Amino acid sequence: MTERNVLETRVRALYLARNGNDLDTMMAQLDPDFSFRIVGTGRLGAMALAVNTPETVRGSFAALVENWDLSEMEMIGCFADGDTIVVHRAGFVRYIPTQARKRTEIIDKFTFRDGRIVDLTEFVDTLFVAETMGLLNEPAVA
């Protein structure tokens, strides 16, 4: 089992690269067997599909970087249990195609093997995502 500070450093490096739109550094944090998914239904389209090859992960990350600015998100909490790190983030997210910007929260569950990220499961406000992407006919009343 890798020390918590090493795992947390790897997570922070991934977030920093994400904020800088640096796909190469993002990919460098990942184990070759890495898998990624955003928890949600098929109505979210490709966003909710699990990806698990270097090509599909890179493509998924590229689409997320192109469409979603998470640079105003902050780590609120970081919890460790062995080779699993769970991060709670909160802040503003911007949907780049429409410039819509809203405060939200995200939970990321990272699983590590030999100090490298082997799995990332992301829990987002799927209603916010669907509304922002225009997948719903009527937005919820605030």
Side-chain angles (χ1 to χ4, degrees):
M1 181 171 53
T2 308
E3 290 185 35
R4 176 189 170 141
N5 65 336
V6 172
L7 304 182
E8 191 173 328
T9 297
R10 179 82 62 184
V11 168
R12 290 181 186 276
L14 180 66
Y15 289 154
L16 186 62
R18 168 69 169 92
N19 291 344
N21 300 333
D22 184 347
L23 286 174
D24 290 332
T25 300
M26 290 172 70
M27 296 299 291
Q29 308 308 310
L30 312 176
D31 187 269
D33 294 329
F34 175 79
S35 64
F36 169 71
R37 75 182 179 107
I38 295 174
V39 176
T41 70
R43 289 189 67 193
L44 291 179
M47 284 189 66
L49 296 177
V51 292
N52 59 8
T53 67
E55 296 79 22
T56 58
V57 168
R58 187 177 189 89
S60 180
F61 281 7
L64 289 171
V65 164
E66 181 179 324
N67 290 290
W68 297 93
D69 175 6
L70 305 181
S71 63
E72 293 184 74
M73 297 292 287
E74 296 180 9
M75 285 178 65
I76 302 303
C78 183
F79 310 94
D81 182 16
D83 284 332
T84 300
I85 297 277
V86 176
V87 177
H88 176 202
R89 295 187 293 161
F92 286 93
V93 171
R94 183 172 56 95
Y95 184 57
I96 295 167
T98 64
Q99 296 300 310
R101 183 176 169 268
K102 183 176 177 184
R103 185 166 177 77
T104 191
E105 297 182 45
I106 297 173
I107 299 289
D108 291 325
K109 179 183 163 272
F110 293 89
T111 305
F112 290 82
R113 181 173 58 218
D114 300 324
R116 294 177 57 88
I117 304 168
V118 72
D119 182 75
L120 169 56
T121 302
E122 192 164 73
F123 300 85
V124 300
D125 179 345
T126 54
L127 179 59
F128 160 68
V129 170
E131 287 175 350
T132 302
M133 292 177 64
L135 298 176
L136 300 179
N137 294 331
E138 296 181 29
V141 175

